[in-house]
């Protein structure tokens, strides 16, 4: 089955400026904004600007420039939010994907969560 991207998903609307967001970082290849329902003191979503459903989709079909741009944006966000390992206390990065990953919004997003312990990786 080919990947199918729904351009009416909420993050596509954010990228088009149709709904607001609380921006942390805006680059050529990525947008980072605060999660609307933060689960830790730091909870930022980093999304690529291209139409990718999941990390596997992105890893297979994005250009090298998109992959570098998205990855560098994650590093910048970690620095900006003070959670990077070299200067802070760390974070958890999650990219929920598909049904078993319990993904709600079908546009690739990396959750960066920190500012407090994120507990064990999987609770149930
Ligand atoms: P996931 O279950 O990995 O797809 O997570 C989707 C995340 O998007 C959840 O943590 C939501 O709180 C977050 N979210 C949904 N709508 C918005 C929005 N308009 N602005 C910021 N975050 C949002």
């Amino acid at each position: 089955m080919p990947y199918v991207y729904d351009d009416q998903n909420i993050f596509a609307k954010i990228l088009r400026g149709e709904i607001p967001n609380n921006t942390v970082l805006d680059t050529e290849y990525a947008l980072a904004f605060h999660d609307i329902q933060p689960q830790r003191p730091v909870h930022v979503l980093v999304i690529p600007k291209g139409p990718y459903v999941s990390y596997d989709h992105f890893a297979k079909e994005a250009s090298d420039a998109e992959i570098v741009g998205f990855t560098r944006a994650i590093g910048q966000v970690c620095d900006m939010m003070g959670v990077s390992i070299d200067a802070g206390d760390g974070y958890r990065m999650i990219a929920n994907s598909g049904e078993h990953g319990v993904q709600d919004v079908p546009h690739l997003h990396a959750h960066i969560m920190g500012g407090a312990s994120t507990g064990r990786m999987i609770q149930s």
Side-chain angles (χ1 to χ4, degrees), residues 2-29:
Y3 293 102
V4 177
Y5 181 80
D6 171 15
D7 68 4
Q8 294 306 307
N9 79 75
I10 198 155
F11 295 167
K13 291 180 180 177
I14 285 176
L15 283 171
R16 290 194 296 267
E18 293 168 9
I19 59 172
N21 73 93
N22 189 356
T23 300
V24 170
L25 178 70
D26 188 357
T27 73
E28 182 175 357
Y29 294 109

Side-chain angles (χ1 to χ4, degrees), residues 11 33-37 45 96 102-105 109 111:
F11 295 167
F33 51 91
H34 292 281
D35 195 290
I36 203 166
Q37 289 188 299
L45 303 173
N96 297 319
V102 194
Q103 180 180 15
D104 287 330
V105 181
H109 48 285
H111 296 256

Side-chain angles (χ1 to χ4, degrees), residues 5 12 14-15 23 26 36 38 43 61-63 80-81 84 94 98 103 110 116-117 123:
Y5 181 80
I14 285 176
L15 283 171
T23 300
D26 188 357
I36 203 166
H43 190 167
E61 296 189 5
S63 68
M80 293 170 73
M81 301 312 296
S84 61
I94 297 174
Q103 180 180 15
S117 173
Q123 316 238 342

